[in-house]
Amino acid sequence: MKRALMASTVAVALLGAATVAIAAPAPTTSIAVPEKADNFQLTDHTRLAHELHYFKAAPAIVLMTQANGSKLSRQAAAELEKLQAAYKARGVLFYMLNSNLSDTRDAAAAEAKSQGFDIPILIDELQLVGESLGVQKEGEVFVIEPKSGFKIAYHGPLDERFNKASPNLKAAAREAYAANAIDAVLAGKAVATSRVDVKAGKAIAFPERAKAADFSKISYATDIAPILQDKCVSCHQKGGIAPFAMDSYEVIKGFAPMIRESVRTDRMPPYFADPHIGQFKNDQALTPKQTKTLIHWLEAGAPRGAGPDVLKEQAGEAPEWPAYLGKPDVVVDIPAFDVPATGIVAYQNQRVDNPFKEDTWLKAISIKPGDRSVLHHVVSNWSPDPKLPRSKLPGGSVGSYTPGAEAQ
């Protein structure tokens, strides 16, 4: 059994001191609904985030496309609410999906409030989810089966009434397509009618679809590599905090599926400030344009194209200490300990002597792990008396570390 030696170092600055590739889709003018729903994360109209694959234990997930202010969308949503009430006790999850570029999150919230919607409205403001699902209109229903790898068991209208511009909701549905599909999924059976053309409803414009044939022309050298250098390489470099270095095209190509999912689920870059709230300094999130460019390039097969491999040519190595702080004034070594390959590791309560013999102002503190792959976090405090029990320690923090953390 291998064991990793874990040691950490604390630096203090004093105030005033110095392999699987994504296949390229064939050009086509038709819009197909995929066999499975790829993972994604979207925020709903209440600002709560939902990741599809997080709900892998759900018996079924139902998505319905929606448009603010549309009579048909409002009628379909009211019927969807009835379905939710009927299947809620059985664990079926219901969502609406808004991919309209003109419908903001605040507008969707106002729509939900005015109509009394209880079902979350997922805001697909970059349209990447709608694009991947093959969405074309409002009122499209997707019944997803998580246990089969998020298979799209049914796609079509709620029932045959919603294939008319003005549904007669006073009459009972003769073909309850969505309900029948849910019943089949819950029973572990194949859906008898798995695909039904959606004939009614307003079309949802997806401007990027007209450019799909050009996605393979997105330049790795001039478009993609600069995005990665701007938002990813500071962590994804030799000696950095990320698990692999983005130091060549071959690395990006090999990790293409993982990069695509990580971006679509907002796990990467790990910067979670809400862009709708305000402008933030040192914003490490991808811009909407960067996100769409990167995803469309990956979905086109991550083509190499012409031009230099700037990630390889400019590959660097993470500095020992944060470059903006420079060499620390004081370094405190924390005793090392062995981390077993398996099992539970109790908190390691290390004590070190205070290097300061008089009152000292601290400008910054940085914690350097001995092995980032096994260290989860460090919390450090100052104690006036090393004999005091832990319950009596004051809350005098002198820094902390978690993966991705910079100096404090």
Side-chain angles (χ1 to χ4, degrees), residues 70-109:
S70 165
K71 181 179 179 180
L72 186 139
S73 277
R74 290 175 173 179
Q75 291 175 316
E79 292 299 305
L80 194 67
E81 293 275 355
K82 295 178 183 178
L83 273 184
Q84 177 180 243
Y87 290 96
K88 188 174 184 179
R90 302 180 70 180
V92 179
L93 302 178
F94 288 80
Y95 295 97
M96 287 186 277
L97 177 69
N98 188 312
S99 298
N100 291 288
L101 292 175
S102 60
D103 289 347
T104 64
R105 186 174 69 188
D106 290 342

Side-chain angles (χ1 to χ4, degrees), residues 269-281 283-285:
Y271 184 85
F272 309 118
D274 190 337
H276 298 280
I277 301 302
Q279 299 296 317
F280 296 87
K281 293 181 179 179
D283 187 342
Q284 285 300 303

Side-chain angles (χ1 to χ4, degrees), residues 191-208:
V191 177
T193 305
S194 62
R195 298 292 186 269
V196 178
D197 290 340
V198 180
K199 300 176 182 177
K202 296 179 181 177
I204 299 174
F206 286 87
E208 296 295 325

Side-chain angles (χ1 to χ4, degrees), residues 13-68:
L14 306 184
L15 183 64
T19 321
V20 176
I22 299 173
T28 177
T29 56
S30 63
I31 302 171
V33 174
E35 289 297 314
K36 294 184 178 182
D38 289 339
N39 196 19
F40 65 81
Q41 178 175 285
L42 292 177
T43 303
D44 69 21
H45 67 284
T46 70
R47 304 180 183 180
L48 181 66
H50 304 262
E51 182 176 340
L52 183 66
H53 284 193
Y54 182 83
F55 303 109
K56 60 184 177 182
I61 300 173
V62 181
L63 292 174
M64 187 186 76
T65 57
Q66 172 265 352
N68 291 345

Side-chain angles (χ1 to χ4, degrees), residues 97-359:
L97 177 69
N98 188 312
S99 298
N100 291 288
L101 292 175
S102 60
D103 289 347
T104 64
R105 186 174 69 188
D106 290 342
E111 176 79 356
K113 183 177 180 180
S114 69
Q115 300 302 309
F117 296 157
D118 182 53
I119 296 174
I121 303 174
L122 305 180
I123 311 303
D124 183 24
E125 56 190 346
L126 298 185
Q127 295 193 316
L128 293 173
V129 175
E131 286 177 8
S132 67
L133 289 174
V135 169
Q136 298 184 65
K137 298 179 179 181
E138 61 173 327
E140 295 184 39
V141 175
F142 299 82
V143 178
I144 300 171
E145 188 176 11
K147 70 177 182 180
S148 298
F150 294 87
K151 173 185 175 182
I152 299 177
Y154 169 76
H155 171 258
L158 272 173
D159 54 58
E160 97 287 341
R161 297 174 299 176
F162 287 93
N163 259 343
K164 298 179 181 179
S166 298
N168 179 15
L169 300 184
K170 294 181 179 180
R174 297 190 304 274
E175 296 286 349
Y177 301 123
N180 291 341
I182 296 171
D183 288 338
V185 169
L186 294 181
K189 299 179 179 178
V191 177
T193 305
S194 62
R195 298 292 186 269
V196 178
D197 290 340
V198 180
K199 300 176 182 177
K202 296 179 181 177
I204 299 174
F206 286 87
E208 296 295 325
R209 279 191 178 136
K211 308 173 186 176
D214 294 327
F215 292 161
S216 62
K217 301 176 184 177
I218 295 174
S219 171
Y220 163 76
T222 61
D223 297 321
I224 300 303
I227 293 175
L228 301 178
Q229 286 179 314
D230 182 32
K231 297 296 176 67
C232 307
V233 170
S234 61
C235 294
H236 287 271
Q237 61 178 320
K238 183 179 180 181
I241 61 176
F244 66 94
M246 292 184 175
D247 54 8
S248 71
Y249 164 77
E250 288 75 19
V251 169
I252 305 305
K253 179 76 171 180
F255 281 108
M258 186 185 74
I259 294 172
R260 176 178 179 267
E261 183 185 19
S262 296
V263 173
R264 280 170 54 90
T265 56
D266 277 344
R267 290 199 299 271
M268 290 289 142
Y271 184 85
F272 309 118
D274 190 337
H276 298 280
I277 301 302
Q279 299 296 317
F280 296 87
K281 293 181 179 179
N282 306 313
D283 187 342
Q284 285 300 303
L286 293 170
T287 66
K289 182 179 179 181
Q290 287 176 329
T291 300
K292 290 191 288 186
T293 299
L294 180 57
I295 293 296
H296 288 151
W297 177 75
L298 292 168
E299 292 177 344
R304 171 64 177 88
D309 188 349
V310 293
L311 291 185
K312 181 179 292 185
E313 292 180 355
Q314 301 177 19
E317 186 171 347
E320 181 180 11
W321 301 103
Y324 54 88
L325 288 179
K327 184 179 179 180
D329 300 292
V330 177
V331 176
V332 179
D333 290 323
I334 301 174
F337 63 92
D338 287 334
V339 179
T342 60
I344 298 174
V345 179
Y347 265 93
Q348 300 295 308
N349 300 315
Q350 307 283 10
R351 289 182 182 272
V352 295
D353 290 336
N354 182 359
F356 305 109
K357 304 308 177 185
E358 56 186 22
D359 291 346

